[in-house]
Amino acid sequence: SETKATHSYSKVVVVVMLSMYKAFAPKYADMMTETELSKPLYTETLPAFVRRCITNSRGKEPDAISVLDVGCGTGDMLAVVNKCLSSISSASSAESKNDDGNSSSSSSSSSSRSNNNQGNSKARLVGIDLSDAMLEIARKRVPNAEFKLGDCRDLTMFKDDEFNGAISSFVMHHLSEEDIAKSLQHLRRVLNGSLGGSGTLLVTSWVHNDDKSSTTSSIIEYPEQYKDVKGTNHGFGTLIRLIVAAGFEVKSATAEHDKDMGMTYATIVAENVDEVACEF
C-alpha cells in the first residue's frame, strides 16, 4: 500500500501530496504535449544523460544499461530514456552489421529493428513514485519498464551498485534539505561507482534563482492552473552543495527559465566517483 512507501514522511505532507497527485495525475499526463517534449530538457539533456550512462558503464551495450527514476510521476522521463536507448541500440546494431556482414550480426540487427519498431529498449528501466495514480499512467506509457511504489529517501528495495544511471526530476523542491540529503545518499549507494564504472545522476529542480552561490529558499508561487501544488525553491547553490556532500562529482550545473511556468529550474549532472570535485 501507499502507507508503506511513505512511512518516513510527515503525515501532513503525505496526505496533502497523495491527495493532490491522485487528482492531478491525468492533468499532469496531459501536460506532456509535443511542445513540452520539444524543450531542451527532453531533446538535449536526457539524450546526453543516456549517452553518458553508456560511456560510464565501460563496455556495456545500450540494452544492458539500467536506469532508475525516483519520483517518476507518469513516466515521462523514462519514456524519453527508453526511446533514446532504443535508437542508440538500433544504430549500434546497424553499424555492427555493416562492419561484420555475417548472418549472426544480420539476425541480431533484424531482432533489434523489430524491437525498436515498438520504440522499446531492452534495457532495465525502473521508476518509483508515491502515487498509485501516477504509476498507473506510467505503466501504460512505458510498458517495458518496472514501476513500483517507493520513497526516494528509502531505496533499500534496491541493491548496492544496481544502476548505471538515476534521475530525480522535479522532486527535490517537495523535500526539505534533510530529505534531499537522505535521498542523495541512497542514490549514491545504488549507483555503480564502485564497480569500475561511474554511476550517472541527473537532477532537475525548481530553484530560487540561477546564482550557483545562492542558498536562499522561497515558497514556490505556481501559475494559477497549478495553485494546489506545493513546493519550495531551494537555492541553486544549496542543491549543488548537497549533491557534492553526498559524494558526487558535479559535471555540469545550469539554470534555465521556463517561460510557461514563469520559474527557473536547475539541471545538474553528477557522477558517483571516489574522489569528489566540481568541474563546472
Side-chain angles (χ1 to χ4, degrees), residues 138-240:
R139 291 185 182 104
K140 295 176 182 177
R141 180 161 286 172
V142 196
N144 57 307
E146 306 167 36
F147 291 101
K148 308 175 182 181
L149 278 170
D151 180 338
C152 68
R153 299 188 315 169
D154 182 3
L155 302 180
T156 51
M157 69 177 78
F158 303 116
K159 300 176 182 178
D160 291 2
D161 305 309
E162 191 165 342
F163 297 96
N164 300 104
I167 299 169
S168 175
S169 182
F170 297 105
V171 173
M172 293 185 179
H173 60 273
H174 290 306
L175 306 177
S176 67
E177 288 188 30
E178 180 182 0
D179 292 345
I180 293 172
K182 289 179 180 179
S183 179
L184 288 167
Q185 288 166 5
H186 277 279
L187 286 167
R188 177 167 164 77
R189 180 185 64 78
V190 302
L191 284 171
N192 62 4
S194 65
L195 294 183
S198 299
T200 306
L201 174 67
L202 170 62
V203 172
T204 65
S205 182
W206 301 116
V207 292
H208 181 67
N209 55 45
D210 60 3
D211 181 358
K212 292 188 177 76
S213 65
S214 171
T215 57
T216 304
S217 297
S218 64
I219 301 299
I220 294 179
E221 296 182 7
Y222 285 101
E224 178 66 21
Q225 63 266 39
Y226 311 118
K227 63 181 181 180
D228 293 331
V229 181
K230 308 299 180 184
T232 300
N233 277 335
H234 296 286
F236 195 177
T238 298
L239 287 182
I240 294 171

Side-chain angles (χ1 to χ4, degrees), residues 1-2 5 128-132 135 147-151 157:
S1 71
E2 291 187 350
I128 67 168
D129 201 275
L130 294 174
S131 170
D132 267 328
L135 291 172
F147 291 101
K148 308 175 182 181
L149 278 170
D151 180 338
M157 69 177 78

Side-chain angles (χ1 to χ4, degrees), residues 79-172:
V80 176
V81 169
N82 180 40
K83 290 181 180 179
C84 288
L85 283 167
S86 177
S87 177
I88 293 171
S89 179
S90 179
S92 177
S93 295
E95 183 177 339
S96 176
K97 179 183 177 182
N98 290 336
D99 289 344
D100 298 338
N102 56 43
S103 60
S104 173
S105 175
S106 176
S107 174
S108 173
S109 179
S110 175
S111 174
S112 176
R113 286 196 302 272
S114 175
N115 180 59
N116 288 320
N117 284 338
Q118 304 173 19
N120 291 334
S121 165
K122 294 180 181 178
R124 185 184 178 213
L125 307 177
V126 181
I128 67 168
D129 201 275
L130 294 174
S131 170
D132 267 328
M134 290 285 197
L135 291 172
E136 184 178 350
I137 295 172
R139 291 185 182 104
K140 295 176 182 177
R141 180 161 286 172
V142 196
N144 57 307
E146 306 167 36
F147 291 101
K148 308 175 182 181
L149 278 170
D151 180 338
C152 68
R153 299 188 315 169
D154 182 3
L155 302 180
T156 51
M157 69 177 78
F158 303 116
K159 300 176 182 178
D160 291 2
D161 305 309
E162 191 165 342
F163 297 96
N164 300 104
I167 299 169
S168 175
S169 182
F170 297 105
V171 173
M172 293 185 179

Side-chain angles (χ1 to χ4, degrees), residues 257-278:
H257 184 74
D258 188 308
K259 63 181 181 180
D260 296 327
M261 296 294 287
M263 298 189 294
T264 299
Y265 70 89
T267 301
I268 303 172
V269 177
E271 293 180 358
N272 180 8
V273 294
D274 291 334
E275 302 212 358
V276 179
C278 286

